[in-house]
PDB file of all heavy atoms in Angstrom:
ATOM      1  N   PRO A 239     100.056  99.497  92.191  1.00  0.00           N
ATOM      2  CA  PRO A 239     101.492  99.212  92.155  1.00  0.00           C
ATOM      3  C   PRO A 239     102.234 100.003  93.223  1.00  0.00           C
ATOM      4  O   PRO A 239     101.912 101.159  93.486  1.00  0.00           O
ATOM      5  CB  PRO A 239     101.895  99.641  90.750  1.00  0.00           C
ATOM      6  CG  PRO A 239     100.890 100.691  90.376  1.00  0.00           C
ATOM      7  CD  PRO A 239      99.609 100.237  91.005  1.00  0.00           C
ATOM      8  N   ALA A 240     103.240  99.369  93.812  1.00  0.00           N
ATOM      9  CA  ALA A 240     103.943  99.991  94.942  1.00  0.00           C
ATOM     10  C   ALA A 240     105.450 100.000  94.738  1.00  0.00           C
ATOM     11  O   ALA A 240     106.051 101.032  94.473  1.00  0.00           O
ATOM     12  CB  ALA A 240     103.571  99.271  96.239  1.00  0.00           C
ATOM     13  N   GLY A 241     106.104  98.862  94.895  1.00  0.00           N
ATOM     14  CA  GLY A 241     107.550  98.802  94.785  1.00  0.00           C
ATOM     15  C   GLY A 241     108.022  98.649  93.351  1.00  0.00           C
ATOM     16  O   GLY A 241     107.312  98.102  92.501  1.00  0.00           O
ATOM     17  N   ILE A 242     109.231  99.137  93.092  1.00  0.00           N
ATOM     18  CA  ILE A 242     109.839  99.049  91.766  1.00  0.00           C
ATOM     19  C   ILE A 242     111.295  98.640  91.919  1.00  0.00           C
ATOM     20  O   ILE A 242     112.007  99.118  92.809  1.00  0.00           O
ATOM     21  CB  ILE A 242     109.760 100.403  91.024  1.00  0.00           C
ATOM     22  CG1 ILE A 242     108.311 100.715  90.630  1.00  0.00           C
ATOM     23  CG2 ILE A 242     110.648 100.412  89.783  1.00  0.00           C
ATOM     24  CD1 ILE A 242     108.132 102.083  90.022  1.00  0.00           C
ATOM     25  N   ALA A 243     111.746  97.731  91.039  1.00  0.00           N
ATOM     26  CA  ALA A 243     113.154  97.350  90.966  1.00  0.00           C
ATOM     27  C   ALA A 243     113.507  97.085  89.511  1.00  0.00           C
ATOM     28  O   ALA A 243     112.628  96.871  88.671  1.00  0.00           O
ATOM     29  CB  ALA A 243     113.421  96.110  91.822  1.00  0.00           C
ATOM     30  N   PHE A 244     114.807  97.084  89.226  1.00  0.00           N
ATOM     31  CA  PHE A 244     115.295  96.875  87.860  1.00  0.00           C
ATOM     32  C   PHE A 244     116.382  95.810  87.848  1.00  0.00           C
ATOM     33  O   PHE A 244     117.167  95.702  88.796  1.00  0.00           O
ATOM     34  CB  PHE A 244     115.914  98.169  87.296  1.00  0.00           C
ATOM     35  CG  PHE A 244     115.064  99.388  87.454  1.00  0.00           C
ATOM     36  CD1 PHE A 244     115.356 100.318  88.447  1.00  0.00           C
ATOM     37  CD2 PHE A 244     113.979  99.616  86.626  1.00  0.00           C
ATOM     38  CE1 PHE A 244     114.590 101.447  88.611  1.00  0.00           C
ATOM     39  CE2 PHE A 244     113.198 100.755  86.784  1.00  0.00           C
ATOM     40  CZ  PHE A 244     113.496 101.673  87.771  1.00  0.00           C
ATOM     41  N   ASP A 245     116.454  95.053  86.746  1.00  0.00           N
ATOM     42  CA  ASP A 245     117.639  94.242  86.517  1.00  0.00           C
ATOM     43  C   ASP A 245     118.591  95.018  85.618  1.00  0.00           C
ATOM     44  O   ASP A 245     118.337  96.179  85.281  1.00  0.00           O
ATOM     45  CB  ASP A 245     117.282  92.858  85.975  1.00  0.00           C
ATOM     46  CG  ASP A 245     116.595  92.876  84.611  1.00  0.00           C
ATOM     47  OD1 ASP A 245     116.813  93.841  83.844  1.00  0.00           O
ATOM     48  OD2 ASP A 245     115.860  91.924  84.303  1.00  0.00           O
ATOM     49  N   LYS A 246     119.699  94.406  85.221  1.00  0.00           N
ATOM     50  CA  LYS A 246     120.713  95.171  84.492  1.00  0.00           C
ATOM     51  C   LYS A 246     120.269  95.525  83.077  1.00  0.00           C
ATOM     52  O   LYS A 246     120.877  96.377  82.427  1.00  0.00           O
ATOM     53  CB  LYS A 246     122.038  94.425  84.470  1.00  0.00           C
ATOM     54  CG  LYS A 246     122.119  93.243  83.535  1.00  0.00           C
ATOM     55  CD  LYS A 246     123.538  92.686  83.523  1.00  0.00           C
ATOM     56  CE  LYS A 246     123.694  91.598  82.474  1.00  0.00           C
ATOM     57  NZ  LYS A 246     125.072  91.050  82.467  1.00  0.00           N
ATOM     58  N   ASN A 247     119.215  94.876  82.604  1.00  0.00           N
ATOM     59  CA  ASN A 247     118.639  95.217  81.305  1.00  0.00           C
ATOM     60  C   ASN A 247     117.505  96.236  81.422  1.00  0.00           C
ATOM     61  O   ASN A 247     116.845  96.531  80.429  1.00  0.00           O
ATOM     62  CB  ASN A 247     118.124  93.957  80.617  1.00  0.00           C
ATOM     63  CG  ASN A 247     119.225  92.964  80.330  1.00  0.00           C
ATOM     64  OD1 ASN A 247     120.299  93.332  79.856  1.00  0.00           O
ATOM     65  ND2 ASN A 247     118.989  91.698  80.650  1.00  0.00           N
ATOM     66  N   ASP A 248     117.314  96.753  82.626  1.00  0.00           N
ATOM     67  CA  ASP A 248     116.250  97.711  82.927  1.00  0.00           C
ATOM     68  C   ASP A 248     114.853  97.136  82.743  1.00  0.00           C
ATOM     69  O   ASP A 248     113.892  97.889  82.564  1.00  0.00           O
ATOM     70  CB  ASP A 248     116.416  99.014  82.132  1.00  0.00           C
ATOM     71  CG  ASP A 248     117.492  99.909  82.724  1.00  0.00           C
ATOM     72  OD1 ASP A 248     117.655  99.888  83.962  1.00  0.00           O
ATOM     73  OD2 ASP A 248     118.175 100.608  81.966  1.00  0.00           O
ATOM     74  N   ASN A 249     114.716  95.805  82.795  1.00  0.00           N
ATOM     75  CA  ASN A 249     113.389  95.250  82.969  1.00  0.00           C
ATOM     76  C   ASN A 249     112.851  95.721  84.307  1.00  0.00           C
ATOM     77  O   ASN A 249     113.599  95.842  85.287  1.00  0.00           O
ATOM     78  CB  ASN A 249     113.429  93.722  82.921  1.00  0.00           C
ATOM     79  CG  ASN A 249     113.849  93.205  81.558  1.00  0.00           C
ATOM     80  OD1 ASN A 249     113.312  93.628  80.535  1.00  0.00           O
ATOM     81  ND2 ASN A 249     114.816  92.300  81.533  1.00  0.00           N
ATOM     82  N   ILE A 250     111.560  96.009  84.351  1.00  0.00           N
ATOM     83  CA  ILE A 250     110.942  96.664  85.501  1.00  0.00           C
ATOM     84  C   ILE A 250     110.118  95.650  86.293  1.00  0.00           C
ATOM     85  O   ILE A 250     109.183  95.047  85.758  1.00  0.00           O
ATOM     86  CB  ILE A 250     110.042  97.827  85.034  1.00  0.00           C
ATOM     87  CG1 ILE A 250     110.852  98.829  84.196  1.00  0.00           C
ATOM     88  CG2 ILE A 250     109.397  98.528  86.235  1.00  0.00           C
ATOM     89  CD1 ILE A 250     109.984  99.822  83.429  1.00  0.00           C
ATOM     90  N   TYR A 251     110.470  95.464  87.556  1.00  0.00           N
ATOM     91  CA  TYR A 251     109.744  94.586  88.469  1.00  0.00           C
ATOM     92  C   TYR A 251     108.833  95.458  89.327  1.00  0.00           C
ATOM     93  O   TYR A 251     109.286  96.436  89.918  1.00  0.00           O
ATOM     94  CB  TYR A 251     110.719  93.819  89.356  1.00  0.00           C
ATOM     95  CG  TYR A 251     111.584  92.821  88.603  1.00  0.00           C
ATOM     96  CD1 TYR A 251     112.522  93.237  87.660  1.00  0.00           C
ATOM     97  CD2 TYR A 251     111.464  91.460  88.844  1.00  0.00           C
ATOM     98  CE1 TYR A 251     113.307  92.329  86.970  1.00  0.00           C
ATOM     99  CE2 TYR A 251     112.253  90.533  88.161  1.00  0.00           C
ATOM    100  CZ  TYR A 251     113.169  90.979  87.228  1.00  0.00           C
ATOM    101  OH  TYR A 251     113.943  90.077  86.539  1.00  0.00           O
ATOM    102  N   VAL A 252     107.561  95.088  89.402  1.00  0.00           N
ATOM    103  CA  VAL A 252     106.566  95.905  90.107  1.00  0.00           C
ATOM    104  C   VAL A 252     105.817  95.034  91.110  1.00  0.00           C
ATOM    105  O   VAL A 252     105.291  93.972  90.743  1.00  0.00           O
ATOM    106  CB  VAL A 252     105.550  96.521  89.125  1.00  0.00           C
ATOM    107  CG1 VAL A 252     104.549  97.396  89.871  1.00  0.00           C
ATOM    108  CG2 VAL A 252     106.255  97.327  88.029  1.00  0.00           C
ATOM    109  N   SER A 253     105.760  95.452  92.363  1.00  0.00           N
ATOM    110  CA  SER A 253     104.909  94.783  93.347  1.00  0.00           C
ATOM    111  C   SER A 253     103.528  95.430  93.323  1.00  0.00           C
ATOM    112  O   SER A 253     103.405  96.645  93.228  1.00  0.00           O
ATOM    113  CB  SER A 253     105.518  94.875  94.749  1.00  0.00           C
ATOM    114  OG  SER A 253     105.596  96.215  95.190  1.00  0.00           O
ATOM    115  N   GLU A 254     102.507  94.595  93.377  1.00  0.00           N
ATOM    116  CA  GLU A 254     101.132  95.073  93.299  1.00  0.00           C
ATOM    117  C   GLU A 254     100.408  94.758  94.608  1.00  0.00           C
ATOM    118  O   GLU A 254     100.134  93.593  94.911  1.00  0.00           O
ATOM    119  CB  GLU A 254     100.397  94.415  92.146  1.00  0.00           C
ATOM    120  CG  GLU A 254     100.982  94.689  90.770  1.00  0.00           C
ATOM    121  CD  GLU A 254     100.187  93.969  89.699  1.00  0.00           C
ATOM    122  OE1 GLU A 254      98.985  94.247  89.549  1.00  0.00           O
ATOM    123  OE2 GLU A 254     100.770  93.097  89.029  1.00  0.00           O
ATOM    124  N   ILE A 255     100.084  95.793  95.355  1.00  0.00           N
ATOM    125  CA  ILE A 255      99.354  95.604  96.601  1.00  0.00           C
ATOM    126  C   ILE A 255      97.990  94.983  96.323  1.00  0.00           C
ATOM    127  O   ILE A 255      97.545  94.063  97.011  1.00  0.00           O
ATOM    128  CB  ILE A 255      99.191  96.941  97.340  1.00  0.00           C
ATOM    129  CG1 ILE A 255     100.554  97.474  97.790  1.00  0.00           C
ATOM    130  CG2 ILE A 255      98.258  96.792  98.539  1.00  0.00           C
ATOM    131  CD1 ILE A 255     100.502  98.873  98.375  1.00  0.00           C
TER     132      ILE A 255
END
Side-chain angles (χ1 to χ4, degrees):
I242 290 174
F244 311 103
D245 63 26
K246 75 175 187 180
N247 298 315
D248 283 327
N249 295 311
I250 303 166
Y251 293 65
V252 182
S253 64
E254 299 179 61
I255 294 173

